Amino acid sequence: MTLRWIPAAALMMLALLWPALWNGFPIVFHDTGGYLDSYMTGLLANGRSAIYGLFLRLGLASSFWVNVVFQSAVVVWLLVLTLRVHGFGGRPWLAATVTLGLGTLTSLPWYAAQLMPDVWLPAGMLALYLLAFRGKELRQWEKFALGAVPAFAAAGHMATLALLVGLLIPLALWRVAAPRLHWPCPAVAAPALAVIAGVLLILFGNLAITGHFTFIPGGPNFLFGRLIQTGIAARYLADHCPDPSLRVCAYRDELPADGDYWLWNAGSPLWKMGGGWEGFEDEARRIVLDSLRKYPGLHLRAAAEGTSSQLVMVKSGDYLSPWTWHTRFILEKYAPAAYPDFLAARQQQAEIDFSWVNAIHVPVALGAMAGLPAVVLLAGRRRIPRTHAALALMLLVALLGNAVVCGVLSNPHDRYQSRLVALAPLALVIAALGWRRISKMAA
């Protein structure tokens, strides 16, 4: 590494860490404490990865600064590697400029500097792309390290696992069609092994931490929350109640319109019934499966609406607020040394005004996402090297897939899409650099 990389790398790290530095403490979310608690108690919690909880536990002594520094360093490495394998390595100030752009124009730093597994979704997707399309330019140790990124990403959240598993299907189809369409032919074995490693990490990690060889629980409850949001749950109960085998029938007149209220609010019928998530899981599964059989049209319509809504929900700062009561309690319990700094952080003092942030982030995200199909079309006409347009095409597929996963299996939220769309400007930069190279050669 030349001396020029030292200041460039420092700038790149600052570009991703600045929200935590400005805050005076890593950014936290409502769910942050749940991940740490899952590891510390050895109890599986709905939607909370004990593996990511272990990662947080490793940062206790540093007041969790080790965690956000590591997350940012992984993203910086992936960005530098992406530029290098596309022929733009050895240019530290180009890498710094690209990272500074992403750090100011996109949501990426708000996830890199946050104690949540969200940043591992774009990191995992980018690593999967590099394994699929750039394996020949990678050193052996880089392949192993890249394989670990989607594996850890998948182990951090089931939605991330679902997307990464889903991406293997278009990659396999792409490999079959590539010779005919004259596009780069992706490798499938290395990405598949990385995803399989993620599955095994979840299963064996949960076995080691909690004693249960199982996935992260909560799926049926999240799906029932989606039925609440779409009105399908109300329709089902109207058609089937009274039914003594369905406890929720006693609360059918109290069903909220908001799926998140059903899942998280203490006044929700879910908690009034007793037993919470675990007590209702079998009933939720039964209603979800039966409603799929009886109302396929309603489900298809809800899926289409959820996907289309999720696709364009890209605001930054979704649900980031001072009200993090569970995380507050968990940090006070398990991280007493860090607790004063947590309380003194800007996030805990007042609401963060994201209006000025989203005045930039939203048009950049939507504009960059809209530019991805244009890159693919230009590559089809050989105006842009297809080797440089492959990232745009894979990201376009990933964004659509993410909208399906989060818009159909959960309730749409801005943070689900904003964490991945941050890669869209990077894909456009890679394509633009490829176009510039072609233009210079033609001249």
Side-chain angles (χ1 to χ4, degrees), residues 327-387:
T327 292
R328 182 180 295 238
F329 166 75
I330 294 300
L331 293 186
E332 184 179 19
K333 181 179 180 181
Y334 296 121
Y339 191 61
D341 290 339
F342 164 76
L343 291 179
R346 292 176 185 266
Q347 183 185 0
Q348 308 310 315
Q349 303 305 310
E351 292 283 348
I352 301 174
D353 182 10
F354 279 95
S355 59
W356 63 274
V357 174
N358 284 315
I360 300 170
H361 286 189
V362 171
V364 168
L366 294 177
M369 189 161 53
L372 298 177
V375 168
V376 175
L377 289 174
L378 288 171
R381 297 178 181 179
R382 301 189 182 279
R383 303 288 180 85
I384 295 174
R386 294 178 183 181
T387 52

Side-chain angles (χ1 to χ4, degrees), residues 6 33 52 73 134 144 272 277 297 349 351 414 428:
I6 296 175
Y52 191 79
R134 294 291 170 171
F144 282 112
K272 291 180 181 179
W277 290 58
Q349 303 305 310
E351 292 283 348
D414 283 282
L428 297 187

Side-chain angles (χ1 to χ4, degrees), residues 19 21 45 49 84 111 142 149 184 240 273 365 423:
L21 296 171
S49 165
R84 193 197 83 198
Y111 293 113
E142 290 172 335
V149 174
H240 293 81
M273 284 186 287
L423 291 181

Side-chain angles (χ1 to χ4, degrees), residues 262-274:
W262 166 268
L263 291 169
W264 306 111
N265 195 287
S268 163
L270 173 62
W271 304 103
K272 291 180 181 179
M273 284 186 287

Side-chain angles (χ1 to χ4, degrees), residues 122-340:
M125 183 268 156
L126 190 54
L128 216 65
Y129 162 78
L130 292 170
L131 287 170
F133 289 95
R134 294 291 170 171
K136 293 179 181 178
E137 291 96 343
L138 298 172
R139 303 177 182 95
Q140 197 62 38
W141 73 265
E142 290 172 335
K143 293 180 183 179
F144 282 112
L146 282 172
V149 174
F152 183 71
H157 202 283
M158 292 301 291
T160 301
L161 173 63
L163 177 62
L164 296 181
V165 169
L167 283 176
L168 297 178
I169 299 172
L171 277 178
L173 295 174
W174 190 331
R175 182 174 177 83
V176 172
R180 243 188 341 262
L181 300 177
H182 306 291
W183 275 78
C185 188
V188 178
L193 286 173
V195 175
I196 291 170
V199 172
L200 295 176
L201 181 58
I202 296 173
L203 295 174
F204 284 99
N206 282 341
L207 179 63
I209 295 170
T210 72
H212 298 282
F213 187 75
T214 186
F215 287 100
I216 303 166
N221 283 296
F222 284 111
L223 290 170
F224 189 83
R226 180 62 182 153
L227 298 192
I228 291 283
Q229 188 84 15
T230 59
I232 295 175
R235 167 69 182 276
Y236 184 90
L237 296 181
D239 291 347
H240 293 81
C241 293
D243 183 339
S245 66
L246 293 174
R247 292 186 303 147
V248 72
C249 279
Y251 299 90
R252 53 171 293 205
D253 294 332
E254 298 181 40
L255 287 185
D258 186 352
D260 287 333
Y261 183 94
W262 166 268
L263 291 169
W264 306 111
N265 195 287
S268 163
L270 173 62
W271 304 103
K272 291 180 181 179
M273 284 186 287
W277 290 58
E278 291 183 4
F280 187 65
E281 184 166 326
D282 289 340
E283 192 166 316
R285 182 183 293 106
R286 170 186 165 185
I287 294 173
V288 168
L289 294 175
D290 200 32
S291 68
L292 280 168
R293 288 190 294 267
K294 294 183 176 177
Y295 315 123
L298 291 179
H299 276 279
L300 286 173
R301 184 186 307 165
E305 291 174 353
T307 299
S308 58
S309 296
Q310 183 63 83
L311 187 62
V312 294
M313 293 176 68
V314 294
K315 288 182 180 178
S316 298
D318 189 27
Y319 280 87
L320 285 182
S321 75
W323 188 80
T324 53
W325 66 271
H326 185 250
T327 292
R328 182 180 295 238
F329 166 75
I330 294 300
L331 293 186
E332 184 179 19
K333 181 179 180 181
Y334 296 121
Y339 191 61

